[in-house]
């Protein structure tokens, strides 16, 4: 629960948009990270997009939008890039984001229904910066204490497809603070199945 206190030899903070909230609860309190949260919204439309996925540019600003088949009889459209501030639990598609995606679909697929079955938003964690969120790097950020044997590692950003390489980098950073152990599994050879 929120009132619980835990002690550990090490801590990996991989809380996504909540990383700074987690850091604020660590004792002794480490500094927060200079991050921006960028909201990406998606629509699920009530028709089947046959022929595979499509990449189309928005007529509004030329930004790329993906339109993908979704569960056989629907189409997934996304994404937007809107700077977000506030509680990550409150991320919701904004009316302008929905209109942006609808305009893009109408431009590439005229006459198709644009009223979504549903819409959702997620948050990306990017290094704080200036200019367009679209132009910022998407590398995984790994922050540690300035010691040879850090006990706290914060991981954010990156791509889902790099999860294994990211985990190896985190373990390499934590290695000096952990007892020596033999690996129990070699994840390079394990198949992931759904």
């Amino acid at each position: 629960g929120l009132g619980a206190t835990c002690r550990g030899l090490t801590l990996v903070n991989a809380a996504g948009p909540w990383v700074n909230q987690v850091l604020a609860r660590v004792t002794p309190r480490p500094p927060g990270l200079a991050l921006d949260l960028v909201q990406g919204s998606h629509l699920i439309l009530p028709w089947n997009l046959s022929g595979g996925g499509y990449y189309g540019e928005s007529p509004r600003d030329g930004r790329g939008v993906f339109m993908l088949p979704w569960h056989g009889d629907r189409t997934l459209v996304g994404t937007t890039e809107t700077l977000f501030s506030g509680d990550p639990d409150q991320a919701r598609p904004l009316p302008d984001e929905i209109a942006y995606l609808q305009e893009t679909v109408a431009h590439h697929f005229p006459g198709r229904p644009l009223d979504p079955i549903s819409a959702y938003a997620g948050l990306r964690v990017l290094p704080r910066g200036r200019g367009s969120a679209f132009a910022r790097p998407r590398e995984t950020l790994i922050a540690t204490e300035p010691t040879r044997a850090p006990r706290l590692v914060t991981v954010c950003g990156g791509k889902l497809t790099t999860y294994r390489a990211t985990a190896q980098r985190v373990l390499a950073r934590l290695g000096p603070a952990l007892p020596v152990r033999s690996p129990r599994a070699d994840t390079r050879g394990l198949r992931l199945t759904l």
Side-chain angles (χ1 to χ4, degrees):
L2 291 177
T5 299
C6 300
R7 293 182 182 272
L9 186 59
T10 60
L11 172 65
V12 176
N13 175 7
W18 296 272
V19 292
N20 278 329
Q21 281 113 317
V22 170
L23 289 174
R25 297 175 59 86
V26 172
T27 304
R29 186 175 183 165
L33 301 177
L35 304 172
D36 283 329
L37 300 181
V38 178
Q39 178 167 291
S41 290
H42 299 77
L43 305 179
I44 298 176
L45 299 175
W47 44 272
N48 181 2
L49 182 65
S50 59
Y54 293 84
Y55 167 89
E57 293 181 352
S58 166
R60 193 185 292 187
D61 61 8
R63 228 185 111 265
V65 172
F66 289 94
M67 294 157 267
L68 305 168
W70 192 250
H71 294 285
D73 61 347
R74 296 186 172 128
T75 296
L76 174 67
V77 180
T79 184
T80 59
E81 299 216 332
T82 305
L83 283 175
F84 179 90
S85 62
D87 181 355
D89 288 336
Q90 301 304 312
R92 305 280 185 279
L94 301 171
D96 189 57
E97 291 176 308
I98 292 170
Y100 177 90
L101 294 172
Q102 289 171 321
E103 289 166 17
T104 303
V105 171
H107 179 76
H108 295 284
F109 294 94
R112 295 287 186 124
L114 298 175
D115 289 334
I117 294 172
S118 64
Y120 64 93
L123 297 173
R124 288 182 207 90
V125 181
L126 298 179
R128 180 151 297 144
R130 290 189 201 140
S132 166
F134 186 66
R136 291 197 215 161
R138 299 299 201 258
E139 292 94 31
T140 302
L141 305 171
I142 299 178
T144 61
E145 300 167 300
T147 66
R148 289 191 66 221
R151 296 174 302 121
L152 170 64
V153 176
T154 298
V155 181
C156 52
K159 298 280 190 176
L160 179 61
T161 54
T162 63
Y163 76 93
R164 192 178 162 283
T166 299
Q168 284 182 308
R169 287 174 56 203
V170 167
L171 285 174
R173 298 254 180 118
L174 283 177
L178 296 171
V180 177
R181 290 190 181 172
S182 297
R184 292 187 181 195
D186 183 355
T187 60
R188 291 174 296 182
L190 293 176
R191 286 189 60 169
L192 298 178
T193 57
L194 297 175

